[in-house]
Amino acid sequence: MQRTYKWYLCILVLLFSISLPTFAQEEISDTVQLEKLNKDNVSTSKDTSDCKRLLKLKQTSFCAESLGKISIDLIPTISIGFSDLLTRDAAPKVAFSWGVDVALQLKAKERIKFIPKNYFSEVSAGFVKRGCSAFHMYYYNLRIIPFGYTYYIKDWNINAKAGLYTAIPFSKVETNINSFKSNMDLGLTLGMGTEYKNIGVNLLYELGFIKICKSNLSMINSSFLINVSYRLFTLFK
């Protein structure tokens, strides 16, 4: 019985000694694969970081290149013309209208992707008188012109623009009997004009969308203005 036990013990020792190199080889193989995987992960992480760095560099380069293709000009403007109130319930008389404002105009000197050369947008702020002969309306006025284009003919240029205006009143609609609170105005702006050596003349038509006051009369602003402007200086080019 003891001999049999010794034989079993010898066989187990022999099998263990044979399988030990195999286990060691598998462990070494697993270690090599793990190191390779870590290297691949490091390489992938590095490639991703390089891609992000390259993309950021391209975006910065595009922004710098785009900024070099635009200019921003300061343009003060004086406007004179006529205004009226459109309504179905009455026939108000046309009144003299005027305004002053300052515009910032952003123009594309060269093509920027889908934006063509000589395309411009502008924002202006100032004061304007609207209304009719019976109701004189005074507003703080803000014009936002996202669409504009200039066509050059030697020293002259012809331009057209379209956008919106919004105006905050600082006057009331008053009659002999009642006084009505004025509403904030919002409307369409269309313009066309020419410019020669920084001096511009534009025809501007504006039509309101909102009733000028809280009353039974449905009256909206309508004005036709002649703008005289001067391109004072370039803020950015």
Side-chain angles (χ1 to χ4, degrees):
M1 183 69 178
Q2 291 181 354
R3 289 182 179 180
T4 304
Y5 175 76
K6 290 181 180 180
W7 276 106
Y8 284 149
L9 184 60
C10 291
I11 292 172
L12 289 175
V13 172
L14 181 61
L15 290 175
F16 179 77
S17 61
I18 293 173
S19 61
L20 184 61
T22 303
F23 293 149
Q25 185 176 2
E26 289 178 356
E27 184 177 356
I28 293 172
S29 177
D30 292 340
T31 303
V32 171
Q33 289 181 1
L34 183 59
E35 290 178 355
K36 185 178 179 181
L37 183 60
N38 289 335
K39 289 181 180 179
D40 291 341
N41 290 336
V42 171
S43 178
T44 303
S45 178
K46 185 178 180 181
D47 291 342
T48 304
S49 179
D50 291 341
C51 289
K52 289 182 179 179
R53 194 180 300 111
L54 182 60
L55 181 60
K56 187 175 181 180
L57 184 62
K58 286 183 177 180
Q59 290 175 344
T60 304
S61 177
F62 173 74
C63 291
E65 184 180 355
S66 299
L67 287 176
K69 295 180 180 180
I70 64 174
S71 64
I72 301 177
D73 296 331
L74 183 70
I75 308 174
T77 303
I78 298 175
S79 306
I80 56 173
F82 300 96
S83 65
D84 196 2
L85 294 176
L86 302 182
T87 176
R88 296 179 181 178
D89 305 313
K93 294 181 180 180
V94 174
F96 176 74
S97 178
W98 59 269
V100 291
D101 57 18
V102 177
L104 287 176
Q105 187 183 90
L106 187 149
K107 179 181 288 186
K109 298 183 292 184
E110 300 179 28
R111 184 180 181 86
I112 306 173
K113 287 197 172 183
F114 58 89
I115 301 175
K117 181 181 178 181
N118 298 328
Y119 181 92
F120 70 87
S121 299
E122 67 181 39
V123 176
S124 65
F127 302 94
V128 65
K129 176 186 175 293
R130 294 190 176 99
C132 65
S133 58
F135 307 122
H136 300 288
M137 305 296 299
Y138 297 90
Y139 295 93
Y140 300 105
N141 198 62
L142 176 67
R143 292 187 181 97
I144 302 174
I145 311 294
F147 308 110
Y149 186 76
T150 302
Y151 180 77
Y152 286 89
I153 307 173
K154 294 184 178 180
D155 294 335
W156 292 82
N157 74 59
I158 299 173
N159 61 78
K161 57 187 178 182
L164 296 173
Y165 77 84
T166 182
I168 300 174
F170 57 96
S171 62
K172 295 181 179 180
V173 177
E174 295 182 346
T175 66
N176 295 330
I177 302 175
N178 294 314
S179 177
F180 301 99
K181 184 178 180 181
S182 303
N183 294 326
M184 187 181 75
D185 199 12
L186 174 68
L188 175 68
T189 297
L190 298 174
M192 187 172 183
T194 184
E195 185 176 321
Y196 178 73
K197 292 185 177 180
N198 294 341
I199 299 175
V201 178
N202 286 266
L203 302 178
L204 197 69
Y205 178 71
E206 294 184 322
L207 178 65
F209 300 148
I210 300 174
K211 293 196 305 181
I212 64 167
C213 64
K214 297 177 180 179
S215 70
N216 294 329
L217 294 177
S218 178
M219 298 183 294
I220 59 174
N221 276 309
S222 173
S223 58
F224 181 82
L225 300 170
I226 299 175
N227 293 352
V228 179
S229 63
Y230 183 74
R231 197 174 294 271
L232 191 59
F233 58 84
T234 300
L235 298 174
F236 179 84
K237 63 179 180 179

Coordinates of all heavy atoms in Angstrom, one line a residue, residues 15-52:
L15 N 4.1 14.9 -13.4 CA 3.1 15.7 -14.2 C 3.2 17.2 -13.9 O 3.2 18.0 -14.8 CB 1.7 15.2 -13.9 CG 1.3 13.8 -14.4 CD1 0.0 13.4 -13.9 CD2 1.4 13.8 -15.9
F16 N 3.4 17.5 -12.6 CA 3.6 18.9 -12.2 C 4.8 19.5 -12.8 O 4.8 20.7 -13.3 CB 3.6 19.0 -10.7 CG 3.8 20.4 -10.2 CD1 2.7 21.3 -10.2 CD2 5.0 20.9 -9.8 CE1 2.8 22.6 -9.8 CE2 5.1 22.2 -9.3 CZ 4.0 23.0 -9.3
S17 N 5.9 18.7 -12.8 CA 7.2 19.3 -13.4 C 7.1 19.4 -14.9 O 7.7 20.3 -15.5 CB 8.3 18.3 -13.1 OG 8.1 17.0 -13.6
I18 N 6.2 18.6 -15.6 CA 6.0 18.7 -17.0 C 5.2 19.9 -17.4 O 5.4 20.7 -18.3 CB 5.4 17.4 -17.6 CG1 6.5 16.3 -17.5 CG2 5.0 17.6 -19.1 CD1 5.9 14.9 -17.9
S19 N 4.1 20.2 -16.6 CA 3.1 21.2 -16.9 C 3.6 22.6 -16.5 O 3.2 23.6 -16.9 CB 1.8 20.9 -16.2 OG 2.0 20.9 -14.8
L20 N 4.6 22.7 -15.5 CA 5.1 23.9 -15.1 C 5.7 24.8 -16.2 O 5.3 26.0 -16.2 CB 6.2 23.7 -13.9 CG 6.7 25.0 -13.3 CD1 5.5 25.7 -12.6 CD2 7.8 24.6 -12.2
P21 N 6.5 24.3 -17.1 CA 7.0 25.2 -18.2 C 5.8 25.7 -19.0 O 5.9 26.8 -19.5 CB 7.9 24.3 -18.9 CG 8.4 23.3 -18.0 CD 7.1 23.0 -17.1
T22 N 4.8 24.9 -19.2 CA 3.7 25.3 -20.1 C 3.0 26.5 -19.4 O 2.6 27.5 -20.1 CB 2.7 24.1 -20.3 OG1 3.4 23.0 -20.8 CG2 1.6 24.5 -21.2
F23 N 2.7 26.3 -18.1 CA 2.1 27.5 -17.4 C 2.9 28.7 -17.4 O 2.4 29.8 -17.6 CB 1.8 27.1 -15.9 CG 0.8 26.0 -15.7 CD1 0.8 25.1 -14.7 CD2 -0.2 25.9 -16.7 CE1 -0.1 24.1 -14.5 CE2 -1.2 24.9 -16.5 CZ -1.1 24.0 -15.4
A24 N 4.2 28.6 -17.3 CA 5.1 29.7 -17.3 C 5.1 30.4 -18.7 O 5.1 31.6 -18.8 CB 6.5 29.3 -16.9
Q25 N 5.1 29.5 -19.7 CA 5.1 30.0 -21.1 C 3.8 30.8 -21.4 O 3.8 31.8 -22.0 CB 5.2 28.8 -22.1 CG 5.3 29.3 -23.5 CD 5.6 28.1 -24.5 OE1 5.6 27.0 -24.0 NE2 5.7 28.4 -25.8
E26 N 2.6 30.2 -20.9 CA 1.3 30.9 -21.1 C 1.3 32.2 -20.3 O 0.8 33.2 -20.8 CB 0.2 30.0 -20.6 CG -0.1 28.8 -21.5 CD -1.2 27.9 -20.9 OE1 -1.7 28.3 -19.8 OE2 -1.5 27.0 -21.6
E27 N 1.9 32.3 -19.1 CA 2.0 33.5 -18.4 C 2.8 34.5 -19.1 O 2.5 35.7 -19.2 CB 2.5 33.2 -17.0 CG 2.5 34.5 -16.1 CD 3.0 34.1 -14.7 OE1 3.2 32.9 -14.4 OE2 3.1 35.1 -13.9
I28 N 4.0 34.1 -19.6 CA 4.8 35.0 -20.4 C 4.1 35.5 -21.6 O 4.2 36.7 -22.0 CB 6.1 34.3 -20.8 CG1 7.0 34.0 -19.5 CG2 6.9 35.1 -21.8 CD1 8.2 33.1 -19.8
S29 N 3.4 34.6 -22.3 CA 2.6 35.0 -23.5 C 1.6 36.0 -23.1 O 1.4 37.0 -23.9 CB 2.0 33.8 -24.1 OG 1.2 34.1 -25.2
D30 N 0.9 35.8 -22.0 CA -0.2 36.8 -21.6 C 0.5 38.1 -21.3 O -0.1 39.2 -21.6 CB -0.9 36.3 -20.4 CG -1.8 35.1 -20.7 OD1 -2.1 34.9 -21.9 OD2 -2.1 34.3 -19.8
T31 N 1.6 38.1 -20.6 CA 2.3 39.3 -20.3 C 2.8 40.1 -21.5 O 2.6 41.3 -21.6 CB 3.6 39.0 -19.4 OG1 3.2 38.3 -18.3 CG2 4.3 40.3 -19.0
V32 N 3.3 39.4 -22.5 CA 3.7 40.0 -23.8 C 2.5 40.6 -24.5 O 2.5 41.8 -25.0 CB 4.3 39.0 -24.7 CG1 4.6 39.5 -26.1 CG2 5.7 38.5 -24.1
Q33 N 1.3 39.9 -24.5 CA 0.1 40.4 -25.2 C -0.4 41.7 -24.4 O -0.8 42.6 -25.1 CB -1.0 39.4 -25.2 CG -0.7 38.2 -26.2 CD -1.8 37.2 -26.2 OE1 -2.8 37.3 -25.5 NE2 -1.6 36.1 -27.0
L34 N -0.3 41.6 -23.1 CA -0.7 42.8 -22.3 C 0.1 44.0 -22.6 O -0.4 45.1 -22.8 CB -0.7 42.4 -20.8 CG -1.2 43.5 -19.9 CD1 -2.6 43.9 -20.2 CD2 -1.1 43.1 -18.4
E35 N 1.5 43.8 -22.7 CA 2.4 44.9 -23.0 C 2.1 45.4 -24.4 O 2.1 46.7 -24.6 CB 3.8 44.4 -22.9 CG 4.2 44.1 -21.5 CD 5.7 43.6 -21.4 OE1 6.3 43.4 -22.5 OE2 6.2 43.5 -20.3
K36 N 1.8 44.5 -25.3 CA 1.5 45.0 -26.7 C 0.2 45.8 -26.7 O 0.1 46.8 -27.4 CB 1.4 43.7 -27.6 CG 1.2 44.1 -29.1 CD 1.1 42.9 -29.9 CE 0.9 43.2 -31.4 NZ 0.8 42.0 -32.3
L37 N -0.8 45.3 -26.0 CA -2.0 46.0 -25.9 C -1.9 47.4 -25.3 O -2.4 48.4 -25.8 CB -3.1 45.2 -25.1 CG -4.5 45.8 -25.0 CD1 -5.1 45.9 -26.4 CD2 -5.3 44.9 -24.1
N38 N -1.0 47.5 -24.3 CA -0.8 48.8 -23.7 C -0.1 49.7 -24.6 O -0.4 50.9 -24.7 CB 0.1 48.6 -22.4 CG -0.7 48.0 -21.3 OD1 -1.9 48.1 -21.2 ND2 0.0 47.3 -20.3
K39 N 0.9 49.2 -25.4 CA 1.6 50.0 -26.4 C 0.6 50.5 -27.5 O 0.6 51.6 -27.9 CB 2.7 49.2 -27.1 CG 3.9 49.0 -26.1 CD 4.9 48.2 -26.9 CE 6.1 47.9 -26.0 NZ 7.2 47.2 -26.7
D40 N -0.3 49.6 -27.9 CA -1.3 50.0 -28.9 C -2.3 51.1 -28.3 O -2.6 52.0 -29.1 CB -2.2 48.7 -29.3 CG -1.4 47.7 -30.1 OD1 -0.3 48.1 -30.6 OD2 -1.8 46.5 -30.2
N41 N -2.6 50.9 -27.0 CA -3.5 51.9 -26.4 C -2.8 53.3 -26.4 O -3.3 54.3 -26.6 CB -3.9 51.5 -25.1 CG -4.9 50.4 -25.1 OD1 -5.6 50.2 -26.1 ND2 -5.0 49.6 -24.0
V42 N -1.5 53.2 -26.0 CA -0.7 54.5 -25.9 C -0.6 55.1 -27.3 O -0.7 56.3 -27.5 CB 0.7 54.2 -25.3 CG1 1.6 55.4 -25.5 CG2 0.6 53.8 -23.9
S43 N -0.3 54.2 -28.3 CA -0.2 54.7 -29.7 C -1.5 55.3 -30.2 O -1.6 56.4 -30.8 CB 0.2 53.6 -30.6 OG 0.2 54.0 -32.0
T44 N -2.7 54.6 -29.9 CA -4.0 55.2 -30.3 C -4.3 56.5 -29.6 O -4.8 57.4 -30.2 CB -5.1 54.1 -29.9 OG1 -4.8 52.9 -30.6 CG2 -6.4 54.6 -30.4
S45 N -4.0 56.5 -28.3 CA -4.2 57.8 -27.5 C -3.3 58.9 -28.1 O -3.8 60.0 -28.2 CB -3.8 57.5 -26.0 OG -4.0 58.7 -25.3
K46 N -2.1 58.6 -28.5 CA -1.2 59.6 -29.1 C -1.8 60.1 -30.4 O -1.8 61.3 -30.7 CB 0.2 59.0 -29.2 CG 1.2 60.0 -29.7 CD 2.6 59.4 -29.8 CE 3.6 60.4 -30.3 NZ 4.9 59.8 -30.4
D47 N -2.3 59.1 -31.2 CA -2.8 59.5 -32.5 C -4.1 60.3 -32.3 O -4.2 61.3 -33.0 CB -3.2 58.2 -33.3 CG -2.0 57.4 -33.7 OD1 -0.9 58.0 -33.8 OD2 -2.1 56.2 -34.1
T48 N -4.9 60.0 -31.4 CA -6.1 60.8 -31.1 C -5.7 62.2 -30.6 O -6.3 63.2 -31.1 CB -7.0 60.1 -30.0 OG1 -7.3 58.8 -30.4 CG2 -8.3 60.9 -29.8
S49 N -4.7 62.3 -29.8 CA -4.3 63.6 -29.3 C -3.7 64.4 -30.4 O -3.9 65.6 -30.5 CB -3.2 63.4 -28.2 OG -2.7 64.6 -27.8
D50 N -2.9 63.8 -31.3 CA -2.4 64.4 -32.5 C -3.5 65.0 -33.4 O -3.4 66.1 -33.9 CB -1.4 63.5 -33.3 CG -0.2 63.2 -32.5 OD1 0.1 64.0 -31.6 OD2 0.5 62.2 -32.8
C51 N -4.5 64.1 -33.6 CA -5.7 64.5 -34.4 C -6.4 65.8 -33.9 O -6.7 66.7 -34.6 CB -6.7 63.4 -34.6 SG -6.0 62.0 -35.7
K52 N -6.6 65.7 -32.5 CA -7.3 66.9 -31.9 C -6.4 68.1 -32.0 O -6.9 69.2 -32.3 CB -7.5 66.5 -30.4 CG -8.6 65.5 -30.2 CD -8.8 65.3 -28.7 CE -9.9 64.3 -28.4 NZ -10.1 64.0 -27.0

